[in-house]
Amino acid sequence: MTMIAGYDHFVQLAETLQWDETDIDYTADRAAWPRLSATEQATVRGLIAGFCIAETSVAGQLGSYQAAARDESMEATFRAQARDEARHARFFDLVAAEVLGVPGPNPAQRQDVLRGSVSTELVDLFEHRLPATARRLADDHAALTGAVGLYHMVIEGVVLLAGQQAMLDTLDGLSADLPGLRKGMELVLRDERWHIGFGSRVVQSAAVDREEADALLEQGETAAKVWGDLISADAIETAVRQHRRRLKAAGIKFW
Ligand SMILES: [Fe+2]
Ligand SMILES: [Fe+2]
């Protein structure tokens, strides 16, 4: 009933896309930060706060996905993805500490400071709902499709992609340039594209019933709003439209 799906090409792709957050030069960013207006700083800080919380959470959940993988190549792909997500978490924490000047001796304490800059819905999604899904997956490997649906299609495909796009748009309009942050954002986005492509393949090769399909669509529509005012209504609408298109392309029917 499931298609034989080889995921090795994702692992090979990930290998060619490796980068190191400490190779990026943040000197110009540090100089530009104090010159930004309070409003500009608040927007960048809110988005960075969301990414710090999100990437730390997603990086920590992939172990359960690896354990539930249907074959070795899928397992290796989750592992390659976990390496990317850990790097993303380090990158956003580095920007928070070095450019934004968020105080704290370690990433966890900087996140405590940043938590006040995002909605409780965002914190809840990443620190409660996603971990709960991963825990259920650890008990029941058959829940893999729904868990990938939440992680890869909803969280990465809607919430993170919309946030990353909003950050690039914000960077375009700033009164002073943040080239290091822009460089890293582009590299993060490049990684996220293959993660979403991988998740789509996992969902595509599974049978998704009507209830699961409706849940995926509905979760996407709700999740897109966790950024609150940090993302425009237009950007949210675009993200949800792309989500619906991606689900359809993965062979999910809507009744
Ligand atoms: Fe990521
Ligand atoms: Fe990702």
Side-chain angles (χ1 to χ4, degrees):
M1 104 191 181
T2 31
M3 244 162 53
I4 300 300
Y7 298 94
D8 291 345
H9 63 287
F10 289 113
V11 179
Q12 285 155 16
L13 178 65
E15 204 51 58
T16 67
L17 301 181
Q18 290 303 303
W19 55 283
D20 188 327
E21 75 285 356
T22 60
D23 287 344
I24 298 175
D25 185 357
Y26 304 96
T27 316
D29 301 56
R30 271 196 294 271
W33 181 253
R35 300 206 301 268
L36 297 179
S37 72
T39 315
E40 290 175 327
Q41 284 187 350
T43 304
V44 173
R45 187 184 163 96
L47 291 167
I48 291 287
F51 295 139
C52 281
I53 291 164
E55 297 283 3
T56 302
S57 166
V58 299
Q61 307 307 324
L62 281 165
S64 304
Y65 287 73
Q66 269 173 253
R70 298 195 194 102
D71 59 47
E72 244 172 69
S73 99
M74 191 191 278
E75 202 259 333
T77 313
F78 281 127
R79 199 179 329 119
Q81 182 183 353
R83 177 159 81 155
D84 283 359
E85 307 299 11
R87 180 177 47 244
H88 298 169
R90 290 195 306 271
F91 163 66
F92 288 115
D93 178 63
L94 189 59
V95 170
E98 298 275 312
V99 180
L100 279 59
V102 175
N106 56 50
Q109 291 193 32
R110 281 189 282 277
Q111 267 176 53
D112 285 342
V113 176
L114 287 167
R115 215 164 264 126
S117 302
V118 292
S119 72
T120 50
E121 287 82 5
L122 186 142
V123 175
D124 182 62
L125 175 62
F126 287 100
E127 296 189 346
H128 302 289
R129 275 182 55 201
L130 181 64
T133 300
R135 275 197 302 277
R136 267 198 305 278
L137 181 59
D139 296 336
D140 174 14
H141 290 182
L144 183 66
T145 307
V148 168
L150 176 66
Y151 188 128
H152 295 74
M153 310 294 284
V154 172
I155 285 181
E156 300 194 290
V158 181
V159 181
L160 292 178
L161 214 56
Q164 286 146 5
Q165 204 51 61
M167 180 62 104
L168 286 175
D169 291 345
T170 299
L171 289 174
D172 281 341
L174 291 182
S175 54
D177 228 15
L178 301 175
L181 175 55
R182 174 186 297 278
K183 175 80 192 150
M185 282 310 305
E186 285 165 356
L187 292 167
V188 167
L189 250 161
R190 200 175 65 174
D191 294 337
E192 297 300 354
R193 288 209 180 88
W194 83 252
H195 301 170
I196 296 163
F198 165 51
S200 300
R201 276 291 301 280
V202 173
V203 169
Q204 187 171 29
S205 58
V208 174
D209 65 24
R210 178 180 184 156
E211 213 175 299
E212 284 174 315
D214 286 345
L216 275 177
L217 193 58
E218 198 251 280
Q219 282 172 1
E221 285 165 358
T222 315
K225 298 179 187 133
V226 300
W227 290 103
D229 294 345
L230 292 165
I231 299 190
S232 71
D234 270 2
I236 290 175
E237 212 174 286
T238 305
V240 170
R241 204 169 43 238
Q242 287 169 345
H243 174 58
R244 189 188 289 265
R245 198 178 304 146
R246 219 176 279 126
L247 290 174
K248 267 193 186 153
I252 294 175
K253 287 194 294 275
F254 295 105
W255 285 264

